[in-house]
Amino acid sequence: MATVEVQALNKSYGAFHALHDISATINDGEFVVLVGPSGCGKSTLLRCLAGLEEISSGEIRIAGRVVTDLEPRERDIAMVFQSYALYPHMSVRENMAFNLILRKTPKDKIAVVVEEAAAILGIEALLDRKPRELSGGQRQRVAMGRAIVRHPQVFLFDEPLSNLDAKLRVQMRSEIRALHDRLGATSVYVTHDQVEAMTMADRIIVLDLGKIIQMGSPLELYERPVNRFVAEFIGSPSINILSGKIALGGRLVLPGRDGDYEIAAPEGAVPGDVEVGIRPEDFVAVETGGLTGTVRVVEHLGAETYVILDRDGSMIYWRVPGTTRVAVGETLRLTSDPSRLHLFRPSDGARL
Amino acid sequence: MLTLNGRELWIGYALVIGSALAIVAPFLWILMTSFKFPIAISTGALWFSPTGFNYADVLFGARSDFPRNVANSLVVGAVSTILVLVIGTLSAYSLARLRWARWVGRLFLGWTMLFNTVPVLTIVGPWYLFFQQLGLYNTLAGLIVAHIIINLPMTVWLMMTFFRDIPVELEEAARVDGCTPAQAFFKVILPLAVPGLIAAGILAFVFSWNEFAVALNLTSRMTATVPVGIAQFAQQYEIQNGQMAAASIISTIPALLLMFFGQRFVVQGLTMGAVK
């Protein structure tokens, strides 16, 4: 398989600068997820890799070969589209064989390869059907099949699961990942769903406004987000952001109407205003001290429960095991281990 | 759905039958006329003994030009339809998909509007002069060119709506799958546009088949098409009503057949994109 290297890639549409100086290396056999909110440029970046968009400047290399100015067909990539983009006038078999036919592969070999891929995906029985006779999940599998029969250098996925229902999405998520491992492929996967990103990726690239904000393993991103944006984007429910102050003497103060909450600031914190990020699972209930809040909503998910507290008008999410009993209207005191806090600069959200 | 009862229902039926008759009656009248001898035609008799004389005279009569008119119409219709489809499809694809500057599309739309608002007879005069200079007057080639020009705007617009309804991803998937842009067009896009081609083809052919004003001005006896031929039955000193009716009936056959088999494509084509 292959590495994908992107160097100083820029993409503009007229005056609109869609991608700014993107540089990244995707290793051989790695599963990299591009994630970010709508319009962050993640799909554009994927389409640049595919050759469906011309880039304005920079360089793209696949397996060491410069492909910047090559047509999509010359890049040896396969792409799974959000809409699947199956050819409606061809049977499943013809859809899957299309690339091989174009490459003038012998017929008997095509038959073998297509049958193999169909067996891997469990769609042998569907080979002679037309795409319109298939369900969403089956179409998704055919689209995958069309990609894997080719044994390409790189697989590109453009939000392939967003048209499926929730249950199927979870199932296909692990299937795609398993398929990736089985084929030893290099994959680049675009999604706006951070859960998909967290569960599937070896490495996540977070994009916002056309720039790479952070690259790292899912846990790195979760535990050490480089800024407030990444902290809020990764994790569900989202991280709690509270405004506070580092006082002289290394104390972190979170002011509140019912008394300030004071804890030791993380080491090296400089006095001044800060934003404090606390993950919903990092709170512990205490008898005295801590942040006070009134329980407004209790969401039972079974295995765990989300407790939503009102603290002076701002909402705090607290994630507890499903066995914990909390009643609406109760006033609780919460505290957190100082080492689990994330501090951000209020002006630009950068991690302190 | 509106449900009618009692008197309303009868009024409804009356309206439906009335409007159907308004459409069908003239046609039935001509059909009857085509089976009458001249004497029955001039008395306007409703009851008469039918005769095939008119048809025999039109189709096999020694002085009848009608078979030649049909042949001319078939050639002009077929050739102009094929060419208009080729040119129209390629231009429509280009306008629908390639990133043309906005003014190109607007210019085209403007031209189409202008072309369709100006009466054809306004253009026929200049064409007559041009074609005479070019040596295309009184040739089938000249009439074919004229019909292509007249049919092109409609064909391009119709095909554009078809191409716009084909998702761009299909083309992108084809290009990733190994197609050159031309292969993507011929192997993926064009097969999906076949209903559009049928619709546009039928409309263009039927138009060419029925077109009278241009054909009358650009042809003479040897190159006359069917509508011109039919008009020739009404001469200064003699009006051959029976033969004219028979020729008219025969002339409706190709259009009827095409519409019968292609109707669903035409309706689909004209209403495409109206409702998602």
Side-chain angles (χ1 to χ4, degrees), chain A residues 47 50-54 70-75 77 81 87 98-99 102 150, chain B residues 93 99 168-185 188:
Chain A
R47 292 169 57 82
L52 294 170
E53 300 280 349
E54 275 177 40
L70 296 186
E71 283 282 305
R73 71 194 144 92
E74 298 163 323
R75 297 191 179 198
I77 44 154
F81 291 82
Y87 311 122
F98 190 54
N99 167 263
L102 288 169
R150 305 180 41 184
Chain B
Y93 180 72
R99 289 171 194 158
V168 186
E169 286 90 356
L170 285 179
E171 212 175 321
E172 293 176 345
R175 288 177 60 204
V176 172
D177 253 347
C179 285
T180 61
Q183 281 175 320
F185 177 73
V188 174

Side-chain angles (χ1 to χ4, degrees), chain B residues 199 262-272:
Chain B
Q263 192 196 32
R264 77 194 167 91
F265 297 109
V266 176
V267 172
Q268 188 192 351
L270 295 178
T271 57
M272 193 123 192

Side-chain angles (χ1 to χ4, degrees), chain A residues 50-71:
Chain A
L52 294 170
E53 300 280 349
E54 275 177 40
I55 64 177
S56 308
S57 69
E59 191 174 81
I60 301 171
R61 266 175 298 184
I62 295 177
R65 186 172 63 122
V66 178
V67 298
T68 316
D69 297 319
L70 296 186
E71 283 282 305

Side-chain angles (χ1 to χ4, degrees), chain A residues 224 226 246 269-270 273-275 342-346 349-352:
Chain A
R224 281 196 66 79
V226 292
I246 305 275
V270 189
D273 287 338
V274 287
E275 283 178 333
H342 306 268
L343 298 186
F344 305 107
R345 192 158 52 213
R351 183 182 189 89
L352 292 171

Side-chain angles (χ1 to χ4, degrees), chain B residues 22 46 82 224 233 247 273:
Chain B
L46 279 179
I82 290 167
F233 285 105

